[in-house]
Amino acid sequence: MALEGTRQTRPRGRRRAGENTRAALLDAARVEFTERGFDGATVRGIAQRAGMDPAMVNHWFGGKDGLFVAALQLPVDPEDIIRRVLDGEPSQIAERVLRTFLSVWDTNGGGAFTALVRSVASHEGAARMMREFVSRMIFGRIVSVVAPDRPELRTALCGTQIAGLAMVRYVIRLEPLASADHDTVVAAIAPNLQRYLTGELTTGSATC
Amino acid sequence: MALEGTRQTRPRGRRRAGENTRAALLDAARVEFTERGFDGATVRGIAQRAGMDPAMVNHWFGGKDGLFVAALQLPVDPEDIIRRVLDGEPSQIAERVLRTFLSVWDTNGGGAFTALVRSVASHEGAARMMREFVSRMIFGRIVSVVAPDRPELRTALCGTQIAGLAMVRYVIRLEPLASADHDTVVAAIAPNLQRYLTGELTTGSATC
DNA sequence: GTCTATACAACGATAGAC
DNA sequence: GTCTATCGTTGTATAGAC
């Protein structure tokens, strides 16, 4: 007799239209990632919670990483950002990072990113996902290429400058930064961000 | 005959204990400051909403500024911060600012400030109050003393670094910054903050 | 009939138990 | 050192939508 309560098998083949397995997978992933973190959550567990096969994660999101990024609901494609940042002069990485973020944020008036900041600030689970995302997928990869030492500290420091810019420019909307054009923002902030990326961390560099 | 509907007079003398005029004044002030901003809100309007005399604002909070700061529910006394920062070597202002914030934040585990960040991120009214508070009372007064040029821009830039540090260290809790001791944080961030306060803004200063 | 969303089985890696 | 369990991932057969 079949164990109907703990069924392990589902009928093969395509579901009826409207079942939307992709969305179900995303919902399950958000629950698992926020509760257990990236490492603690398993593809198999997420798939089971969504009631489908683990292979669906690969089919729809290309793997665990892709599912995680999609679950974060980022208004950007981090792979695109990394690509746009990593090619070019290392001494101008900060400028490219800033220009990339500014162009992405300003295309939709910062609305999507404001929502992201809100959710990160209010939900502990969202904060946890953002924490692991930043340390694992963004600055970790960038800094490991260009940083001379202490990549984790540099990653976190870069996070302070980027998050602070987002807070002041888009959430608090403090002038003149809120309406400043990209060149002004870059000229003001890029040197500081560059110090976090490639500069000397123990001694000051502001006063030569 | 008295206009009972729009009464302008209240019985003189001390109210009965437990009426808690101070709290009523704070509630009214939050509504007015949130809806109209610092300039738009009037002491008379706030007092009227609270159903008492405008002189109570002076008695309880020492003036409009004091009421505004109290309405923000800051876990700090900004006057104390300004005082501790302004006396000493100008080239080490950034370090004193950072040490002051760190000591205040870390005394209660960042809990009160985390709540502040949450409310600023989620409530537009709180964001507005924070915006006006920062530009008017904190960095505006500090920067006007030590900054060579563009005080508003420097104020906003300092805001990015402080807000970003708060986000990363206390809200997102990204390591190693979340558990770093004060000396490490100061050594890493003070040079950048110092550049925002007194450095050159148009050209880079990270690479000497 | 074609396309594709789906389930199943299996593979290599890794970590922990004994 | 070996054994086992579990993980992420891949290849393939199939069932249903179009």
Side-chain angles (χ1 to χ4, degrees):
Chain A
M1 53 179 63
L3 299 171
E4 283 299 321
T6 62
R7 68 178 309 167
Q8 303 290 339
T9 65
R10 280 166 51 99
R12 287 194 186 183
R14 192 170 180 163
R15 295 282 83 75
R16 281 204 318 279
E19 288 208 15
N20 215 348
T21 67
R22 211 188 113 103
L25 217 38
L26 273 177
D27 288 342
R30 287 199 193 96
V31 175
E32 294 282 321
F33 280 137
T34 56
E35 285 182 358
R36 309 176 196 262
F38 184 85
D39 286 325
T42 67
V43 171
R44 301 175 122 92
I46 293 169
Q48 189 177 29
R49 173 181 288 266
M52 62 192 61
D53 191 88
M56 292 294 93
V57 170
N58 231 271
H59 181 63
W60 284 107
F61 303 98
K64 191 181 185 183
D65 285 7
L67 176 60
F68 182 69
V69 171
L72 255 181
Q73 301 186 92
L74 288 185
V76 230
D77 175 20
E79 284 301 321
D80 178 53
I81 300 226
I82 293 177
R83 223 177 303 114
R84 287 169 66 178
V85 161
L86 277 186
D87 60 338
E89 190 73 17
S91 65
Q92 289 155 0
I93 283 193
E95 172 167 351
R96 285 200 298 281
V97 170
L98 279 173
R99 290 199 185 276
T100 304
F101 272 96
L102 285 171
S103 70
V104 169
W105 286 342
D106 286 344
T107 47
N108 59 359
F113 258 98
T114 304
L116 183 66
V117 171
R118 286 198 219 283
S119 66
V120 165
S122 54
H123 296 356
E124 170 55 30
R128 177 176 191 169
M129 291 180 72
M130 176 56 68
R131 173 172 59 232
E132 299 197 353
F133 169 74
V134 170
S135 64
R136 178 180 304 272
M137 297 179 177
I138 292 291
F139 281 112
R141 288 178 53 186
I142 296 180
V143 171
S144 66
V145 175
V146 297
D149 63 330
R150 288 197 275 184
E152 304 87 0
L153 179 60
R154 292 177 188 273
T155 298
L157 290 171
C158 292
T160 69
Q161 186 57 82
I162 299 289
L165 176 59
M167 281 285 290
V168 169
R169 177 176 241 245
Y170 300 103
V171 178
I172 306 183
R173 282 203 280 277
L174 184 65
E175 297 293 354
L177 256 192
S179 336
D181 58 79
H182 292 193
D183 286 340
T184 304
V185 177
V186 168
I189 297 185
N192 281 21
L193 189 61
Q194 187 72 41
R195 172 173 172 269
Y196 285 155
L197 284 166
T198 59
E200 181 60 53
L201 251 42
T202 51
T203 69
S205 73
T207 57
C208 298
Chain B
M1 58 177 61
L3 299 171
E4 283 300 324
T6 61
R7 65 179 311 167
Q8 303 290 337
T9 64
R10 282 165 52 97
R12 293 188 185 181
R14 191 169 180 171
R15 295 282 82 75
R16 284 204 317 277
E19 286 206 17
N20 215 344
T21 66
R22 206 187 116 102
L25 218 37
L26 274 177
D27 287 342
R30 284 197 196 98
V31 175
E32 294 283 319
F33 281 138
T34 298
E35 288 181 354
R36 309 175 198 263
F38 184 85
D39 288 325
T42 65
V43 172
R44 305 175 110 89
I46 293 169
Q48 189 177 30
R49 173 181 289 267
M52 60 191 62
D53 192 89
M56 290 295 95
V57 171
N58 251 287
H59 179 256
W60 284 107
F61 303 98
K64 189 181 182 181
D65 284 8
L67 177 59
F68 182 70
V69 171
L72 253 184
Q73 302 185 88
L74 288 183
V76 232
D77 175 20
E79 285 300 323
D80 177 53
I81 297 218
I82 293 176
R83 220 177 305 116
R84 286 169 64 180
V85 161
L86 277 186
D87 61 337
E89 191 73 19
S91 65
Q92 289 156 0
I93 283 193
E95 172 167 352
R96 285 200 298 280
V97 170
L98 278 174
R99 289 199 185 277
T100 304
F101 272 97
L102 285 173
S103 70
V104 169
W105 286 344
D106 285 344
T107 47
N108 59 0
F113 258 98
T114 303
L116 184 66
V117 171
R118 286 198 220 282
S119 65
V120 165
S122 55
H123 296 358
E124 170 55 32
R128 178 176 190 168
M129 291 179 71
M130 177 56 66
R131 175 172 56 231
E132 300 197 354
F133 169 75
V134 170
S135 63
R136 177 181 304 272
M137 298 180 176
I138 294 291
F139 281 113
R141 289 177 52 186
I142 296 179
V143 170
S144 65
V145 175
V146 297
D149 62 330
R150 290 198 273 184
E152 303 89 359
L153 179 60
R154 290 176 189 275
T155 298
L157 289 171
C158 291
T160 68
Q161 186 56 81
I162 299 290
L165 175 60
M167 281 287 291
V168 168
R169 178 178 243 245
Y170 300 103
V171 178
I172 305 183
R173 283 204 278 277
L174 185 64
E175 295 295 353
L177 256 192
S179 340
D181 58 78
H182 292 193
D183 287 340
T184 304
V185 177
V186 168
I189 296 184
N192 280 21
L193 190 60
Q194 187 73 40
R195 173 173 171 267
Y196 285 156
L197 285 165
T198 59
E200 181 61 51
L201 251 40
T202 51
T203 70
S205 75
T207 57
C208 297

mmCIF file of all heavy atoms in Angstrom, chain A residues 98-99 102-104 106 169-170 180-187:
data_model
loop_
_atom_site.group_PDB
_atom_site.id
_atom_site.type_symbol
_atom_site.label_atom_id
_atom_site.label_comp_id
_atom_site.label_asym_id
_atom_site.label_seq_id
_atom_site.Cartn_x
_atom_site.Cartn_y
_atom_site.Cartn_z
ATOM 1 N N LEU A 98 30.991 52.641 -8.011
ATOM 2 C CA LEU A 98 30.033 53.701 -7.711
ATOM 3 C C LEU A 98 29.163 54.026 -8.920
ATOM 4 O O LEU A 98 27.939 54.150 -8.799
ATOM 5 C CB LEU A 98 30.792 54.957 -7.253
ATOM 6 C CG LEU A 98 31.221 54.946 -5.801
ATOM 7 C CD1 LEU A 98 32.094 56.143 -5.488
ATOM 8 C CD2 LEU A 98 29.996 54.940 -4.891
ATOM 9 N N ARG A 99 29.787 54.135 -10.079
ATOM 10 C CA ARG A 99 28.994 54.487 -11.270
ATOM 11 C C ARG A 99 27.979 53.401 -11.581
ATOM 12 O O ARG A 99 26.851 53.685 -12.007
ATOM 13 C CB ARG A 99 29.912 54.714 -12.473
ATOM 14 C CG ARG A 99 30.739 55.984 -12.357
ATOM 15 C CD ARG A 99 31.276 56.455 -13.711
ATOM 16 N NE ARG A 99 32.156 57.604 -13.537
ATOM 17 C CZ ARG A 99 31.721 58.860 -13.433
ATOM 18 N NH1 ARG A 99 30.417 59.103 -13.487
ATOM 19 N NH2 ARG A 99 32.570 59.846 -13.271
ATOM 20 N N LEU A 102 25.171 53.715 -9.001
ATOM 21 C CA LEU A 102 24.383 54.933 -9.221
ATOM 22 C C LEU A 102 23.475 54.780 -10.436
ATOM 23 O O LEU A 102 22.287 55.141 -10.392
ATOM 24 C CB LEU A 102 25.323 56.131 -9.412
ATOM 25 C CG LEU A 102 25.985 56.645 -8.138
ATOM 26 C CD1 LEU A 102 27.043 57.681 -8.458
ATOM 27 C CD2 LEU A 102 24.937 57.230 -7.196
ATOM 28 N N SER A 103 24.026 54.232 -11.518
ATOM 29 C CA SER A 103 23.201 54.112 -12.716
ATOM 30 C C SER A 103 22.063 53.137 -12.481
ATOM 31 O O SER A 103 20.939 53.367 -12.928
ATOM 32 C CB SER A 103 24.064 53.670 -13.907
ATOM 33 O OG SER A 103 24.469 52.329 -13.730
ATOM 34 N N VAL A 104 22.336 52.054 -11.761
ATOM 35 C CA VAL A 104 21.266 51.091 -11.493
ATOM 36 C C VAL A 104 20.208 51.707 -10.581
ATOM 37 O O VAL A 104 19.007 51.608 -10.830
ATOM 38 C CB VAL A 104 21.850 49.824 -10.849
ATOM 39 C CG1 VAL A 104 20.732 48.941 -10.319
ATOM 40 C CG2 VAL A 104 22.677 49.061 -11.861
ATOM 41 N N ASP A 106 19.514 54.872 -9.987
ATOM 42 C CA ASP A 106 18.800 56.047 -10.491
ATOM 43 C C ASP A 106 17.881 55.729 -11.656
ATOM 44 O O ASP A 106 17.044 56.555 -12.023
ATOM 45 C CB ASP A 106 19.811 57.134 -10.902
ATOM 46 C CG ASP A 106 20.410 57.801 -9.672
ATOM 47 O OD1 ASP A 106 19.837 57.629 -8.594
ATOM 48 O OD2 ASP A 106 21.443 58.478 -9.806
ATOM 49 N N ARG A 169 21.228 58.956 0.297
ATOM 50 C CA ARG A 169 20.765 59.499 -0.977
ATOM 51 C C ARG A 169 19.329 59.101 -1.282
ATOM 52 O O ARG A 169 18.576 59.913 -1.832
ATOM 53 C CB ARG A 169 21.701 59.016 -2.116
ATOM 54 C CG ARG A 169 21.266 59.479 -3.508
ATOM 55 C CD ARG A 169 22.268 59.067 -4.574
ATOM 56 N NE ARG A 169 22.820 60.246 -5.228
ATOM 57 C CZ ARG A 169 22.618 60.530 -6.525
ATOM 58 N NH1 ARG A 169 21.915 59.734 -7.284
ATOM 59 N NH2 ARG A 169 23.132 61.618 -7.059
ATOM 60 N N TYR A 170 18.932 57.878 -0.925
ATOM 61 C CA TYR A 170 17.626 57.398 -1.370
ATOM 62 C C TYR A 170 16.607 57.240 -0.250
ATOM 63 O O TYR A 170 15.416 57.355 -0.481
ATOM 64 C CB TYR A 170 17.787 56.072 -2.115
ATOM 65 C CG TYR A 170 18.670 56.183 -3.323
ATOM 66 C CD1 TYR A 170 19.981 55.722 -3.301
ATOM 67 C CD2 TYR A 170 18.209 56.780 -4.478
ATOM 68 C CE1 TYR A 170 20.808 55.844 -4.397
ATOM 69 C CE2 TYR A 170 19.018 56.911 -5.585
ATOM 70 C CZ TYR A 170 20.316 56.435 -5.537
ATOM 71 O OH TYR A 170 21.126 56.579 -6.626
ATOM 72 N N ALA A 180 22.580 65.233 -6.199
ATOM 73 C CA ALA A 180 23.860 65.459 -6.868
ATOM 74 C C ALA A 180 23.980 64.546 -8.092
ATOM 75 O O ALA A 180 23.476 63.421 -8.098
ATOM 76 C CB ALA A 180 25.007 65.195 -5.899
ATOM 77 N N ASP A 181 24.642 65.063 -9.131
ATOM 78 C CA ASP A 181 24.849 64.222 -10.319
ATOM 79 C C ASP A 181 25.945 63.212 -10.039
ATOM 80 O O ASP A 181 26.675 63.301 -9.047
ATOM 81 C CB ASP A 181 25.216 65.091 -11.528
ATOM 82 C CG ASP A 181 26.453 65.917 -11.252
ATOM 83 O OD1 ASP A 181 27.562 65.365 -11.329
ATOM 84 O OD2 ASP A 181 26.294 67.122 -10.948
ATOM 85 N N HIS A 182 26.042 62.245 -10.942
ATOM 86 C CA HIS A 182 26.946 61.123 -10.700
ATOM 87 C C HIS A 182 28.396 61.569 -10.561
ATOM 88 O O HIS A 182 29.130 61.053 -9.729
ATOM 89 C CB HIS A 182 26.809 60.096 -11.826
ATOM 90 C CG HIS A 182 25.484 59.403 -11.825
ATOM 91 N ND1 HIS A 182 25.221 58.283 -12.564
ATOM 92 C CD2 HIS A 182 24.337 59.674 -11.147
ATOM 93 C CE1 HIS A 182 23.970 57.898 -12.369
ATOM 94 N NE2 HIS A 182 23.411 58.730 -11.523
ATOM 95 N N ASP A 183 28.821 62.524 -11.376
ATOM 96 C CA ASP A 183 30.211 62.958 -11.310
ATOM 97 C C ASP A 183 30.551 63.519 -9.939
ATOM 98 O O ASP A 183 31.630 63.250 -9.391
ATOM 99 C CB ASP A 183 30.473 64.014 -12.399
ATOM 100 C CG ASP A 183 30.544 63.387 -13.780
ATOM 101 O OD1 ASP A 183 30.767 62.156 -13.851
ATOM 102 O OD2 ASP A 183 30.364 64.104 -14.771
ATOM 103 N N THR A 184 29.653 64.287 -9.381
ATOM 104 C CA THR A 184 29.910 64.858 -8.065
ATOM 105 C C THR A 184 30.027 63.762 -7.006
ATOM 106 O O THR A 184 30.943 63.774 -6.179
ATOM 107 C CB THR A 184 28.771 65.828 -7.685
ATOM 108 O OG1 THR A 184 28.656 66.827 -8.703
ATOM 109 C CG2 THR A 184 29.048 66.478 -6.349
ATOM 110 N N VAL A 185 29.096 62.832 -7.049
ATOM 111 C CA VAL A 185 29.131 61.744 -6.067
ATOM 112 C C VAL A 185 30.418 60.946 -6.211
ATOM 113 O O VAL A 185 31.085 60.619 -5.215
ATOM 114 C CB VAL A 185 27.895 60.827 -6.233
ATOM 115 C CG1 VAL A 185 27.965 59.660 -5.264
ATOM 116 C CG2 VAL A 185 26.619 61.615 -6.021
ATOM 117 N N VAL A 186 30.763 60.630 -7.438
ATOM 118 C CA VAL A 186 31.971 59.833 -7.661
ATOM 119 C C VAL A 186 33.205 60.587 -7.183
ATOM 120 O O VAL A 186 34.061 60.018 -6.492
ATOM 121 C CB VAL A 186 32.084 59.462 -9.152
ATOM 122 C CG1 VAL A 186 33.462 58.898 -9.459
ATOM 123 C CG2 VAL A 186 31.001 58.457 -9.517
ATOM 124 N N ALA A 187 33.303 61.860 -7.526
ATOM 125 C CA ALA A 187 34.477 62.629 -7.119
ATOM 126 C C ALA A 187 34.597 62.687 -5.601
ATOM 127 O O ALA A 187 35.702 62.670 -5.050
ATOM 128 C CB ALA A 187 34.395 64.049 -7.693
#
